[in-house]
Amino acid sequence: MKIMRYFILAISFFICTTICAQNTLFQSQIEKIANSEKGMTVGVAIKGLDEGTSNEIFSINGNAHFPMQSVYKFPLALAVLHQVDQGKLSLEQKIKVTKKDLLPNTWSPLRKKYPEGNVDIALKDLLSYMVSQSDNNACDILFRLMGGPKEVEKYIHSLGIKGIAIVGTEEEMHDNWNIQFTNWAEPLALMQLLDLFYQKKLLEKPTHDFLWKIMVETSTGANKIKALLPEGSEIAHKSGSSGKNEKGEVPASNDIGIVTLPNGKRFSIVVMVSSKKKNTDEGECEKIIAQIAKIAWDYYQSR
């Protein structure tokens, strides 16, 4: 009996030692990538979503404030769908979209399809344009439907998540470069929001499943989380990018999401890159996100 007890203790010690070594290696690997480019600040928050890994959180600059850019379309979608669950809105209801709603000189597949406006669009389709195609006009139409960015922020804060600020619309960010810095998030706060969404604590099943579907169908950010992962992997995500200013600086290149492994297990990942390097190659920012996602994929595969 003593021999068996010692054997079990030895096996437990071996497993614990192995896991601790894996954790340390993983953290050092993402730190190496995050610190690889001078002039860039990288925020990371990664968490396993299954038994055995759900208590592990890996973070770099997790409480720093990063401009979200289009990542904030994820909390906006959650707020809209919460209203659907409350019966205040319906996914099937039609929203009148006028030509005035379809601003030029901004990313908008919606405007491309309906250049003259004067069309009734179902709420579910506006959400799909906003999330799957990152449409800026659809985003601002939904902000107006919700009563403005501050109402969305109020909803997110009511969930106990204070590390997210939602202040300006896409139109306002387009008109004033500095507005993007008022729409900030801490990587750990976004990870917490992803976690609540994944655990189905925010939405009813139909609205949860709808948002999951349009996040998986996202066509933007192909060079970020998805870039180095196996083709066909299920990734529910939302990316965001600021573009460059006149100095060639890139304040925001982000991607957040939930990755499904071939064995069905999942992890959440938030990577936010802000570069003050002059003449930054935006591909450098995307490469950092892609490399960290691949390291996370390999780590959780081994667990």
Side-chain angles (χ1 to χ4, degrees), residues 99-122:
K99 188 170 184 177
K100 186 179 178 181
D101 294 320
L102 301 173
L103 301 179
N105 303 318
T106 191
W107 173 253
S108 182
L110 179 64
R111 187 191 64 244
K112 186 175 181 179
K113 185 170 183 180
Y114 303 106
E116 299 303 316
N118 194 31
V119 62
D120 294 323
I121 307 288

Side-chain angles (χ1 to χ4, degrees), residues 77 81 123-133 207-219 235-238:
L81 291 170
L123 178 60
K124 65 179 181 181
D125 294 329
L126 282 175
L127 283 161
S128 184
Y129 271 108
M130 180 182 73
V131 174
S132 298
Q133 300 185 59
T207 46
H208 171 93
D209 291 350
F210 172 73
L211 181 52
W212 182 273
K213 175 177 178 291
I214 60 178
M215 289 177 73
V216 169
E217 292 172 350
T218 293
S219 58
I235 303 160
H237 70 121
K238 186 72 203 80

Side-chain angles (χ1 to χ4, degrees), residues 80-95 121-127 142 145 207 210:
V80 172
L81 291 170
H82 175 66
Q83 296 267 300
V84 172
D85 288 341
Q86 290 188 316
K88 296 177 181 178
L89 298 172
S90 164
L91 285 176
E92 302 299 330
Q93 78 179 75
K94 301 292 186 178
I95 309 295
I121 307 288
L123 178 60
K124 65 179 181 181
D125 294 329
L126 282 175
L127 283 161
L142 292 172
L145 183 67
T207 46
F210 172 73

Side-chain angles (χ1 to χ4, degrees), residues 172-189:
E172 289 168 333
M173 284 198 290
H174 185 269
D175 289 342
N176 185 337
W177 178 260
N178 291 322
I179 293 294
Q180 68 180 301
F181 299 103
T182 67
N183 293 321
W184 55 262
E186 299 170 1
L188 284 169

Side-chain angles (χ1 to χ4, degrees), residues 10-260:
I11 291 296
S12 299
F13 177 77
F14 173 76
I15 291 172
C16 181
T17 303
T18 301
I19 290 173
C20 288
Q22 287 177 317
N23 291 356
T24 301
L25 178 60
F26 178 41
Q27 182 74 29
S28 66
Q29 286 176 323
I30 59 176
E31 286 176 354
K32 183 178 179 180
I33 297 298
N35 297 323
S36 62
E37 292 289 343
K38 291 183 179 179
M40 291 188 182
T41 303
V42 180
V44 180
I46 300 172
K47 183 179 185 290
L49 297 173
D50 299 284
E51 187 176 353
T53 62
S54 60
N55 292 324
E56 300 173 356
I57 295 174
F58 300 91
S59 177
I60 300 169
N61 296 317
N63 294 118
H65 293 185
F66 290 84
M68 282 188 287
Q69 284 289 338
S70 286
V71 164
Y72 80 164
K73 292 168 182 171
F74 170 58
L76 171 54
L78 286 171
V80 172
L81 291 170
H82 175 66
Q83 296 267 300
V84 172
D85 288 341
Q86 290 188 316
K88 296 177 181 178
L89 298 172
S90 164
L91 285 176
E92 302 299 330
Q93 78 179 75
K94 301 292 186 178
I95 309 295
K96 187 73 172 181
V97 177
T98 68
K99 188 170 184 177
K100 186 179 178 181
D101 294 320
L102 301 173
L103 301 179
N105 303 318
T106 191
W107 173 253
S108 182
L110 179 64
R111 187 191 64 244
K112 186 175 181 179
K113 185 170 183 180
Y114 303 106
E116 299 303 316
N118 194 31
V119 62
D120 294 323
I121 307 288
L123 178 60
K124 65 179 181 181
D125 294 329
L126 282 175
L127 283 161
S128 184
Y129 271 108
M130 180 182 73
V131 174
S132 298
Q133 300 185 59
S134 206
D135 192 291
N136 292 336
N137 283 322
C139 177
D140 282 356
I141 292 167
L142 292 172
F143 267 134
R144 287 192 286 275
L145 183 67
M146 292 296 295
K150 276 298 181 182
E151 290 301 312
V152 177
E153 182 187 72
K154 188 185 300 183
Y155 165 69
I156 296 301
H157 288 183
S158 76
L159 303 175
I161 301 175
K162 307 300 184 183
I164 295 176
I166 302 172
V167 176
T169 64
E170 287 285 354
E171 181 182 4
E172 289 168 333
M173 284 198 290
H174 185 269
D175 289 342
N176 185 337
W177 178 260
N178 291 322
I179 293 294
Q180 68 180 301
F181 299 103
T182 67
N183 293 321
W184 55 262
E186 299 170 1
L188 284 169
L190 287 170
M191 185 200 72
Q192 185 183 359
L193 191 61
L194 285 169
D195 198 31
L196 290 173
F197 169 60
Y198 175 72
Q199 293 179 46
K200 299 183 174 67
K201 292 183 176 180
L202 301 181
L203 302 173
E204 301 295 334
K205 188 178 187 308
T207 46
H208 171 93
D209 291 350
F210 172 73
L211 181 52
W212 182 273
K213 175 177 178 291
I214 60 178
M215 289 177 73
V216 169
E217 292 172 350
T218 293
S219 58
T220 56
N223 294 325
K224 297 181 179 181
I225 289 175
K226 298 174 68 171
L228 300 178
L229 303 188
E231 188 175 350
S233 300
E234 184 179 81
I235 303 160
H237 70 121
K238 186 72 203 80
S239 62
S241 299
S242 64
K244 298 183 182 184
N245 63 12
E246 66 280 358
K247 297 178 183 177
E249 298 170 338
V250 178
S253 183
N254 312 320
D255 206 0
I256 75 168
I258 297 169
V259 177
T260 304

